[in-house]
């Protein structure tokens, strides 16, 4: 059934009539209703004239409104509206405001639906692009007023003050720490809305560091983490979580030797602890940036404790501009930054290093070493690089020296942190290799 245009027109007439000579009514209406919310063009122009008079601190009477109207048909409509003025109960203006707002929202939904049909019906339409457009149209309707917000310095300063108070009190988690003391002292945690890139060579700890950050925050602060893993499936990820959390030797799950009763009981207990973690995993190896954005928003709606997103890794995510790899990675990188800002949580994206890394004699990592690095390093707020170094010291007990370099930080210093990689625990610890060996 189509919308009853006669009823919509009548409600708009009543609202406009209630605003005549009603300064308080206009003040209430302006914060909730815009000219574009009216269905009839003449009503839009009449409402704009009323708002203009209000802003100029002029009388909002019939003659003043008429003087603002240029088109004859608008003046005719105003005459019809003015005849209702004496019969309108101006104390009920909120009901008329709600009615006009509701119809405006429904009209936007109808327009959004038509646009979705047009996009999906195009001959060259792709499913990913059509889904992305559909989501954007719906989100635009839902967040129509919020997205247009402009705040004063006073409001922004109040929000800044509240943020610092929460951060200093420790009562509310506003940043994501890594759990590695020396690194946290250097970067002061990951802030809401930030894109963090962790880069490194294969098997050099970038995935390990990101997952350790997720587990640290999940265990210590019950912070939810959404992991998009395109290289490791969910079973492998949970085996890493088992190694990190359990006091048992992680090798017991890698051999085919059967459990004894005591080991089986301990293993079941450890798996029970894993089940309680606020982790959400998607291990689709062919996921697109649009799917990541859509799934992340759905998880955030259902799980208010979601505080971190990890994408492993950027180079495997499908983006726009499929024929141009550099533009495709740029669309993924920008999409992750927009996601972080939209959800107001940090997003960690992993990146492989290019071949130039292996050619450098000292083995050091530079920010330009990230594959297709231009857009990645530009969009990132923080860039870290992990390197696990070979050393005879500790080799016999399965530990190695590792380095975490802070290569970019918008709001802080750069630097290098030396840590120790413990293979059997699948983790970095906040000690140098020599410190670890002296204490062992």
């Amino acid at each position: 059934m189509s919308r009853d245009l006669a009823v919509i027109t009548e409600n708009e007439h009543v609202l406009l009539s209630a605003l005549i000579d009603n300064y308080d009514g206009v003040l209430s209406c302006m914060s909730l209703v815009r000219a574009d919310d009216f269905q009839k063009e003449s009503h839009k122009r009449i409402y704009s004239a009323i708002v203009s008079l209000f802003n100029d601190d002029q009388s909002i009477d019939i003659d003043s409104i008429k003087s603002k109207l240029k088109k004859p048909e608008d003046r005719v409509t105003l005459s019809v509206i003015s005849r209702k003025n004496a019969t309108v109960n101006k104390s009920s203006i909120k009901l008329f405001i709600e009615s006009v707002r509701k119809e405006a929202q429904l009209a936007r939904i109808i327009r959004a639906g038509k646009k979705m049909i047009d996009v999906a019906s195009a001959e060259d339409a792709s499913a990913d692009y059509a889904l992305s457009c559909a989501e954007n149209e719906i989100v635009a309707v839902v967040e129509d007023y919020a997205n247009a917000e402009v705040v004063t310095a006073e409001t922004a300063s109040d929000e800044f003050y509240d943020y610092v108070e929460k951060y200093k009190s420790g009562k509310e988690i506003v940043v994501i720490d890594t759990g590695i003391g020396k690194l946290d002292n250097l970067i002061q945690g990951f802030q809401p809305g930030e894109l963090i890139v962790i880069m490194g060579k294969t098997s050099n700890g970038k995935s390990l560091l990101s997952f350790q950050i997720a587990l640290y925050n999940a265990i210590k602060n019950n912070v939810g983490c959404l992991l998009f893993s395109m290289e490791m499936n969910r079973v492998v990820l949970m085996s890493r979580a088992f190694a990190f959390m359990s006091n048992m030797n992680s090798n017991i799950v890698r051999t085919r030797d059967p459990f004894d009763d005591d080991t089986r009981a301990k293993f079941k207990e450890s798996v029970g602890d894993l089940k309680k973690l606020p982790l959400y995993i998607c291990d689709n190896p062919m996921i697109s940036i649009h799917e990541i954005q859509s799934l992340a928003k759905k998880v955030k709606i259902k799980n208010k404790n979601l505080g971190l997103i990890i994408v492993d890794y950027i180079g495997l995510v499908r983006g726009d501009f499929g024929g141009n790899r550099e533009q495709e990675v740029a669309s993924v990188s920008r999409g992750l930054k927009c996601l972080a800002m939209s959800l107001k949580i940090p997003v960690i994206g992993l990146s492989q290093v290019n071949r130039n890394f292996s050619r450098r004699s000292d083995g050091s990592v530079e920010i330009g070493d990230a594959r297709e690095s231009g857009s990645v390093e530009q969009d990132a707020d923080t860039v870290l690089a992990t390197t696990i170094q070979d050393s005879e010291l500790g080799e016999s007990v399965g530990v190695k020296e590792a380095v975490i370099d802070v290569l970019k930080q918008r709001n802080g210093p750069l630097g290098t942190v030396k840590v120790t990689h413990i293979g059997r625990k699948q983790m970095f610890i906040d000690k140098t290799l020599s410190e670890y060996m002296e204490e062992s």
Side-chain angles (χ1 to χ4, degrees), residues 7-26:
V7 173
I8 294 172
T9 300
E10 177 64 17
N11 287 338
E12 291 185 357
H13 274 181
V14 172
L15 176 58
L16 291 171
S17 177
L19 296 179
I20 297 173
D21 289 319
N22 186 358
Y23 186 92
D24 291 338
V26 177

Side-chain angles (χ1 to χ4, degrees), residues 6-69:
V7 173
I8 294 172
T9 300
E10 177 64 17
N11 287 338
E12 291 185 357
H13 274 181
V14 172
L15 176 58
L16 291 171
S17 177
L19 296 179
I20 297 173
D21 289 319
N22 186 358
Y23 186 92
D24 291 338
V26 177
L27 184 62
S28 299
C29 192
M30 281 176 57
S31 62
L32 297 171
V33 176
R34 299 170 300 191
D36 284 343
D37 290 339
F38 290 89
Q39 306 297 301
K40 293 195 68 176
E41 292 300 318
S42 60
H43 293 175
K44 293 178 182 180
R45 291 189 288 270
I46 291 170
Y47 182 71
S48 294
I50 291 172
V51 171
S52 176
L53 290 168
F54 177 91
N55 288 334
D56 292 340
D57 201 22
Q58 297 180 23
S59 176
I60 313 174
D61 55 42
I62 294 293
D63 290 337
S64 298
I65 298 171
K66 186 180 294 185
S67 69
K68 290 278 187 180
L69 302 175

Side-chain angles (χ1 to χ4, degrees), residues 77-220:
T77 302
L78 178 63
S79 297
V80 174
I81 291 170
S82 66
R83 289 195 289 271
K84 298 178 183 291
N85 183 250
T87 62
V88 170
N89 182 355
K90 295 186 179 181
S91 64
S92 302
I93 193 169
K94 288 185 179 180
L95 296 176
F96 306 133
I97 290 173
E98 290 174 4
S99 174
V100 171
R101 277 172 57 85
K102 182 195 76 172
E103 293 298 340
Q105 290 285 15
L106 291 173
R108 288 189 182 92
I109 292 171
I110 291 170
R111 289 196 295 271
K114 290 179 178 177
K115 186 173 181 179
M116 287 183 240
I117 292 172
D118 290 342
V119 170
S121 302
E123 290 186 9
D124 59 346
S126 71
D128 281 349
Y129 180 69
L131 284 170
S132 176
C133 286
E135 182 184 36
N136 290 338
E137 288 297 322
I138 295 299
V139 169
V141 172
V142 173
E143 300 180 348
D144 196 17
Y145 291 93
N147 283 344
E149 183 181 28
V150 175
V151 301
T152 64
E154 180 181 9
T155 299
S157 297
D158 286 339
E159 292 177 1
F160 167 66
Y161 181 86
D162 291 341
Y163 170 85
V164 174
E165 284 293 302
K166 290 175 182 177
Y167 180 59
K168 293 292 187 182
S169 69
K171 294 179 180 178
E172 186 172 336
I173 305 301
V174 294
V175 298
I176 298 295
D177 289 326
T178 67
I180 299 173
K182 292 192 289 287
L183 183 58
D184 287 328
N185 289 337
L186 187 59
I187 64 175
Q188 294 299 310
F190 302 138
Q191 310 290 325
E194 285 189 340
L195 173 62
I196 301 95
V197 172
I198 302 178
M199 52 187 285
K201 195 167 59 169
T202 302
S203 301
N204 260 247
K206 60 184 183 296
S207 298
L208 177 60
L209 177 60
S210 66
F211 196 42
Q212 179 171 333
I213 293 169
L215 291 172
Y216 173 79
N217 285 277
I219 296 166
K220 183 180 179 182

Side-chain angles (χ1 to χ4, degrees), residues 291-422:
E291 290 171 312
I292 286 175
Q293 291 172 322
S294 178
L295 285 172
K297 290 173 183 177
K298 290 177 183 177
V299 172
K300 181 64 174 176
I301 290 171
K302 293 181 180 178
N303 304 277
K304 300 302 181 184
N305 69 333
L306 181 67
L308 178 65
I309 296 172
I310 296 173
V311 178
D312 185 8
Y313 64 96
I314 292 173
L316 292 179
V317 179
R318 290 187 294 121
D320 298 323
F321 310 104
N324 185 310
R325 182 57 187 159
E326 187 173 334
Q327 288 182 329
E328 186 175 11
V329 172
S331 72
V332 172
S333 175
R334 191 61 196 159
L336 293 180
K337 175 60 180 176
C338 291
L339 179 62
M341 295 188 69
S342 172
L343 298 185
K344 296 181 175 62
I345 60 176
V347 173
I348 298 176
L350 308 189
S351 177
Q352 292 272 30
V353 298
N354 59 33
R355 292 189 180 94
N356 291 334
F357 175 89
S358 59
R359 298 188 192 128
R360 201 169 291 122
S361 59
D362 61 357
S364 61
V365 183
E366 297 179 359
I367 193 168
D369 288 334
R371 287 185 185 169
E372 297 95 6
S373 66
S375 58
V376 174
E377 63 190 62
Q378 177 180 326
D379 292 327
D381 298 280
T382 300
V383 178
L384 307 179
T386 58
T387 308
I388 298 176
Q389 301 172 335
D390 292 326
S391 172
E392 293 183 4
L393 182 64
E395 186 176 356
S396 60
V397 291
V399 298
K400 294 182 178 181
E401 187 169 65
V403 171
I404 303 173
D405 290 302
V406 180
L407 302 178
K408 177 184 178 181
Q409 191 176 186
R410 289 196 197 276
N411 302 308
L414 309 184
T416 297
V417 173
K418 291 185 177 181
V419 295
T420 296
H421 170 254
I422 304 178

